[in-house]
Amino acid sequence: MEKYLEHSKEVVNQLKEKYKACDFYFRLKQSNVNISVFFILANSAILSEENLWENVSKEIALKYQSKLETVYEKWNLYIIYITSDIILKELKNRIENNKFSSRKIVEDAYDKEFNNEESNRLIVKHITNADLKEIVETTKGTSISVYEPENKKLWELLAKDEKVSGDRKAQEEFIKQIDAL
């Protein structure tokens, strides 16, 4: 784990030096496997300029992902692009559907101060879904009521196992029964 943190610091510093209009952050989340997450903060115009987002992705692949040891760690490399403005849908789709090296996520219209707490929130929201257990626990007490139909006779008619599709006589009989109700 320590070596990944060292590699990431080096990569983040190189990226900051090269792409001064962007901010870069890194988090290593331990789960069953190490999850590496790079955060890139920039406006959408900067990300689209000369495909900056793609160049950043390639550099992370070359300088960081190539140092990861297991296939699982390489598979669990994420880049989250954060923009304060709303990114064009076409650009967002190009970024998120790009299959080279890492999984890419766009978080646009971001209006919060980015810090460790926010990075954890975004990791939970987009990657680990660790809040699902909490959500399930809080909704366990919710009871599901039994459906009470408006017209019980019609409901009973519909609930029969008889098949009427493709059978003209059965369909006619079904319509007569509905009319009789």
Side-chain angles (χ1 to χ4, degrees):
M1 182 169 148
E2 282 297 316
K3 60 185 167 193
Y4 294 153
L5 291 174
E6 287 175 35
H7 293 311
S8 68
K9 283 180 188 176
E10 187 178 317
V11 172
V12 165
N13 289 335
Q14 290 172 4
L15 291 170
K16 283 181 179 182
E17 185 63 33
K18 188 170 183 176
Y19 304 104
K20 295 187 186 295
C22 304
D23 281 331
F24 298 89
Y25 300 92
F26 175 82
R27 292 294 307 269
L28 186 64
K29 182 79 174 166
Q30 286 191 297
S31 188
N32 295 340
V33 67
N34 289 328
I35 300 171
S36 299
V37 185
F38 283 88
F39 296 92
I40 291 86
L41 283 74
N43 71 40
S44 61
I46 290 171
L47 287 179
S48 66
E49 257 177 39
E50 298 176 23
N51 289 328
L52 182 132
W53 68 269
E54 195 170 18
N55 295 333
V56 167
S57 172
K58 289 176 183 176
E59 287 198 41
I60 290 171
L62 179 67
K63 297 175 180 176
Y64 180 79
Q65 189 175 30
S66 63
K67 307 253 192 291
L68 297 175
E69 294 174 353
T70 70
V71 172
Y72 302 109
E73 290 170 335
K74 289 178 182 183
W75 179 252
N76 283 293
L77 171 62
Y78 293 82
I79 302 173
I80 300 179
Y81 297 92
I82 301 172
T83 66
S84 57
D85 59 333
I86 296 175
I87 197 164
L88 292 175
K89 191 171 191 159
E90 179 185 276
L91 177 59
K92 184 175 184 173
N93 287 338
R94 268 195 9 246
I95 293 171
E96 292 186 335
N97 292 311
N98 179 276
K99 297 192 183 327
F100 177 75
S101 87
S102 59
R103 299 180 199 183
K104 296 160 198 74
I105 299 161
V106 173
E107 177 79 17
D108 64 350
Y110 187 80
D111 62 353
K112 297 169 181 59
E113 180 183 336
F114 187 81
N115 54 33
N116 281 340
E117 186 178 314
E118 273 301 301
S119 67
N120 283 333
R121 187 186 69 76
L122 291 172
I123 289 170
V124 167
K125 176 182 177 184
H126 293 292
I127 302 169
T128 65
N129 298 311
D131 59 343
L132 290 180
K133 184 177 180 181
E134 181 182 319
I135 291 168
V136 169
E137 290 298 320
T138 58
T139 58
K140 258 187 181 175
T142 305
S143 65
I144 299 173
S145 59
V146 177
Y147 176 71
E148 291 293 329
E150 287 282 325
N151 187 329
K152 289 185 181 190
K153 290 181 181 179
L154 179 60
W155 185 255
E156 289 169 3
L157 183 63
L158 292 172
K160 289 183 180 176
D161 287 335
E162 297 172 21
K163 294 184 179 179
V164 294
S165 66
D167 184 347
R168 180 103 175 139
K169 285 188 177 190
Q171 292 170 354
E172 288 173 359
E173 183 60 35
F174 188 74
I175 298 295
K176 286 178 186 175
Q177 290 176 8
I178 291 175
D179 286 341
L181 294 176

